[in-house]
Amino acid sequence: MLSVQNLEVVYQDVILVLRGVSFEIPKGKIVSLLGSNGSGKTTVIRSITGLLDIQNGDITKGTISVDGEDITNFNPSKIVEKGIAQVLEGRRIFSELTVVENLRLGGHTNSQDIQSNIEKVLDMFPILKQRSKGEAGYLSGGEQQMLAIGRALMSDPSYLLLDEPSLGLAPKLVDQIADLIKEINEQGVTVLLVEQNANMALNVSDHGYIMETGNVVMDNPSEVLLKDEDVREFYLGLNPEGTKRKSFKDVKHYKRKKRWLS
Amino acid sequence: MTIFLQATVEGLSLAAIYSLVAIGFVLIYKSMDVLSFAQPALAVVGAGIISSLAVDRGIPFWLALILGIFLTGVLSLIIERTFLRPMVGEPVFSVAILTIGIDILLRTVLDSWIGINPRYLGDPFPTFGNFGAINVGGVNLKFLELTALVTAILIILILSVFFKRSKYGVAMRATSFDQEAALAQGINVGRIFGLAWFIAGILAAFAGFFITGGFNTLGQFSFLIALRALPAVVIGGLDSIPGAVVGSIIIGLTQGYVAYYQIPFENLIGFSLGSGFSLLAPYLIMFVILIFRPDGLFGTEEVERV
Ligand SMILES: Nc1ncnc2c1ncn2[C@@H]1O[C@H](COP(=O)(O)OP(=O)(O)OP(=O)(O)O)[C@@H](O)[C@H]1O
Ligand SMILES: [Mg+2]
């Protein structure tokens, strides 16, 4: 289990962006983390994977642990060695390097299995196999996302953290990514799925957390969230005809939840 | 024609020396966005270490050479760890000034060690053949120059294999392309910085040896030769290894041709360009190229300038 408890994060010593975030990713499950722009989802991932430092961010409170071991403030390479891999927001493939070189980099901490893992990943993505020697920058957006996911799998992770894998992809590709996430999970990888596409995320995940301005404001099994009126209105864009859009903060559900938390 | 060949060979062997220093400069720039003005100083310090091992301590020359080159790499690594690492994230300008400080420090220590008389490196090149040279069809080829040329070519080949095939070579390219994404793959970026400085130190020491070996000797002015790698890097573009090599070839050949053709040229135009013109010429070429290509011939456009 990957567990984040009461996490508080500050950028540049003054900008408080996470205000006590707690959530859990039980082994073998897919957990989604939803929230609008700037709510702090990427910051949560950075805190887990040790990438706050380079952004001039600090964990000022809280703990992160994996399978009972405290990994708060571990450096990025240590985190990867602990079996936690990530797909960065915006894919961030090394576009000047070839497809295979990108995969090799994903296996940087796992040298002994590199050749067999490259074959495994290329078998998983036949499109990448055809272009394995080509420069990764020439791949299409969807292919680049597959490469980013394949690259993360190269370290044989037990936990995979995905930051908005559906970003900028056509609906058909989003479905493909969703299937892929399920498939990866079925092979035994525990997944944290950060998304703005709540529909996709809730359909693949077991449990969902909703963030707003640095707080978790709601969490429930995904099928419950999918049916929740407020979630439908604010994240699935399914507001009933004629009703005015309110701020999520005005919603009773949210207030109730918050009182319960305090 | 003989003169032209002679000038070309000498120019290319200078180019070999410059490119060794210049590649080190580019490696550091690409890996950590630092303009290291200490590279030329590391070259002469490397020569100093070799000389001190081989001559003062009497260690057999070839062993002293290998040891000296390695120790210069280690020195470069230590400089990165102690001075540069704490500066990560500081403005490019301040870090560049810091490297100028390191350059001055290194040269001050070296110059006081050298003293008044130039130092030999204890190498056998002066005793090879006809005072260290052979004559091929009227062209005088110095063994040391030929060795510099061959060594530089070999080093460039080895580096290109390293960057293409080895785990850390690929990791260095990835880090220079996107540091955060490299971190996310579990690459220890600090180790990559150290590696870049280590390799740069080794390349500088090779250059230092070729500048000061044989009859050349190590004096307080040997540094000026290594310094000419800087216009070479600027011409090639700060972030391009092929650029560093091409820039070095341009500077080296310019210098070679100026050395042999300046006097006939002056007679032709009827006035003197001055005896220091061959030292000035590389910088003139640099200015002309920068007017047309502000980022150098191979440089990436958004490269920040100091
Ligand atoms: N490096 C940084 N320095 C300062 N502030 C930052 C930094 N990175 C993010 N922030 C701020 O922290 C807040 C949370 O940002 P974060 O990127 O975590 O949100 P997000 O939920 O991932 O948003 P999005 O859906 O747009 O990706 C935002 O207000 C953002 O402006
Ligand atoms: Mg984000």
Side-chain angles (χ1 to χ4, degrees):
Chain A
M1 181 164 75
L2 189 83
S3 153
V4 171
Q5 294 304 326
N6 202 21
L7 186 67
E8 198 177 281
V9 169
V10 171
Y11 283 114
Q12 291 155 27
D13 293 328
V14 286
I15 313 168
L16 178 67
V17 292
L18 297 187
R19 308 153 191 266
V21 170
S22 301
F23 65 93
E24 282 171 353
I25 315 168
K27 212 148 197 165
K29 301 285 184 204
I30 301 179
V31 168
S32 54
L33 186 59
L34 309 173
S36 48
N37 288 113
S39 55
K41 307 180 297 294
T42 298
T43 305
V44 166
I45 293 195
R46 284 179 187 150
S47 313
I48 300 173
T49 56
L51 288 184
L52 277 178
D53 203 29
I54 188 177
Q55 298 284 345
N56 200 3
D58 288 297
I59 296 176
T60 47
K61 233 190 240 165
T63 54
I64 298 161
S65 64
V66 61
D67 304 331
E69 187 189 359
D70 189 345
I71 57 161
T72 320
N73 285 321
F74 273 28
N75 64 34
S77 53
K78 202 80 176 279
I79 296 288
V80 177
E81 282 162 20
K82 290 277 164 216
I84 302 172
Q86 65 180 320
V87 174
L88 293 164
E89 184 174 0
R91 325 192 233 282
R92 303 281 282 274
I93 56 152
F94 301 106
S95 54
E96 285 180 355
L97 277 61
T98 67
V99 168
V100 164
E101 282 171 339
N102 270 273
L103 294 180
R104 279 172 69 187
L105 286 158
H108 185 82
T109 56
N110 188 22
S111 300
Q112 67 272 26
D113 300 328
I114 223 154
Q115 216 44 52
S116 61
N117 280 349
I118 287 177
E119 273 155 37
K120 242 192 317 195
V121 170
L122 289 181
D123 284 341
M124 208 166 162
F125 304 103
I127 318 154
L128 297 183
K129 195 171 198 164
Q130 285 165 25
R131 320 209 17 197
S132 63
K133 299 223 162 49
E135 234 178 79
Y138 294 126
L139 298 175
S140 73
E143 290 159 359
Q144 291 191 8
Q145 188 63 63
M146 311 228 168
L147 178 57
I149 294 173
R151 183 176 66 177
L153 292 176
M154 286 292 299
S155 61
D156 278 333
S158 336
Y159 295 89
L160 179 62
L161 318 181
L162 297 141
D163 197 347
E164 302 202 32
S166 77
L167 193 72
L169 299 184
K172 221 173 146 186
L173 278 169
V174 174
D175 290 346
Q176 225 176 315
I177 297 281
D179 290 343
L180 185 63
I181 293 169
K182 274 190 248 170
E183 191 187 322
I184 290 168
N185 177 249
E186 275 157 20
Q187 286 169 16
V189 181
T190 308
V191 176
L192 174 67
L193 177 56
V194 163
E195 265 299 341
Q196 290 203 42
N197 184 336
N199 194 24
M200 178 272 230
L202 291 175
N203 275 304
V204 283
S205 62
D206 301 294
H207 201 92
Y209 287 81
I210 294 178
M211 280 186 76
E212 261 201 15
T213 55
N215 292 297
V216 169
V217 292
M218 189 196 284
D219 85 90
N220 260 322
S222 299
E223 64 262 358
V224 177
L225 287 177
L226 270 172
K227 291 196 196 98
D228 186 289
E229 289 236 332
D230 300 328
V231 174
R232 287 171 71 82
E233 180 174 350
F234 290 99
Y235 291 96
L236 305 176
L238 304 171
N239 46 329
E241 202 88 34
T243 52
K244 228 173 42 186
R245 261 183 176 262
K246 302 162 279 188
S247 159
F248 199 64
K249 288 196 177 89
D250 303 333
V251 178
K252 269 195 250 118
H253 191 130
Y254 168 70
K255 287 186 171 160
R256 203 161 61 227
K257 187 83 187 176
K258 198 173 179 187
R259 250 192 326 263
W260 174 79
L261 271 177
S262 57
Chain B
M1 191 59 193
T2 316
I3 291 182
F4 178 76
L5 284 178
Q6 182 76 48
T8 306
V9 170
E10 287 182 21
L12 285 178
S13 79
L14 283 170
I17 291 170
Y18 300 154
S19 62
L20 291 175
V21 180
I23 290 171
F25 188 97
V26 171
L27 284 182
I28 290 173
Y29 184 80
K30 279 178 80 94
S31 68
M32 62 192 300
D33 282 342
V34 166
L35 299 162
S36 172
F37 292 106
Q39 283 311 290
L42 272 172
V44 279
V45 165
I49 296 174
I50 295 165
S51 164
S52 125
L53 291 174
V55 180
D56 296 2
R57 264 162 246 274
I59 296 173
F61 170 73
W62 296 107
L63 183 62
L65 179 69
I66 294 169
L67 205 58
I69 288 170
F70 176 76
L71 288 177
T72 312
V74 173
L75 174 65
S76 178
L77 187 70
I78 293 171
I79 291 172
E80 191 274 323
R81 270 294 154 101
T82 46
F83 296 107
L84 276 302
R85 189 71 63 86
M87 297 291 282
V88 166
E90 300 294 325
V92 178
F93 184 71
S94 341
V95 183
I97 297 290
L98 173 73
T99 67
I100 293 176
I102 296 166
D103 160 68
I104 293 170
L105 178 72
L106 288 175
R107 282 191 293 129
T108 309
V109 173
L110 180 75
D111 285 353
S112 71
W113 174 79
I114 293 175
I116 309 160
N117 295 317
R119 300 244 180 185
Y120 280 94
L121 271 75
D123 60 286
F125 280 89
T127 58
F128 286 167
N130 178 26
F131 290 107
I134 46 165
N135 198 299
V136 179
V139 180
N140 193 45
L141 301 173
K142 283 192 194 142
F143 290 122
L144 186 65
E145 289 178 356
L146 292 179
T147 312
L149 206 53
V150 173
T151 308
I153 291 169
L154 279 179
I155 286 179
I156 289 168
L157 288 177
I158 291 170
L159 279 179
S160 61
V161 173
F162 169 75
F163 283 122
K164 205 65 203 156
R165 301 246 174 274
S166 81
K167 173 175 166 179
Y168 274 93
V170 178
M172 278 179 88
R173 281 161 63 212
T175 304
S176 102
F177 182 78
D178 184 340
Q179 191 171 312
E180 190 176 26
L183 281 168
Q185 312 312 313
I187 293 168
N188 183 333
V189 167
R191 203 176 287 167
I192 299 292
F193 294 167
L195 187 60
W197 279 77
F198 180 70
I199 297 174
I202 284 181
L203 298 187
F206 269 108
F209 169 67
F210 292 124
I211 292 169
T212 60
F215 290 117
N216 297 344
T217 72
L218 171 64
Q220 304 202 346
F221 295 103
S222 305
F223 166 74
L224 292 178
I225 301 176
L227 190 61
R228 249 168 263 146
L230 288 185
V233 188
V234 175
I235 287 174
L238 301 174
D239 60 347
S240 163
I241 291 177
V245 176
V246 171
S248 300
I249 292 173
I250 291 174
I251 296 288
L253 286 180
T254 304
Q255 220 187 318
Y257 295 138
V258 168
Y260 283 90
Y261 291 106
Q262 185 182 347
I263 291 170
F265 182 69
E266 282 172 350
N267 291 340
L268 198 72
I269 58 173
F271 65 89
S272 166
L273 296 168
S275 60
F277 184 69
S278 75
L279 296 179
L280 191 65
Y283 295 92
L284 283 179
I285 298 261
M286 178 180 92
F287 285 127
V288 172
I289 288 180
L290 286 188
I291 289 169
F292 297 103
R293 296 289 300 254
D295 296 296
L297 297 174
F298 292 76
T300 314
E301 251 176 49
E302 62 266 55
V303 165
E304 212 171 329
R305 303 222 152 256
V306 192

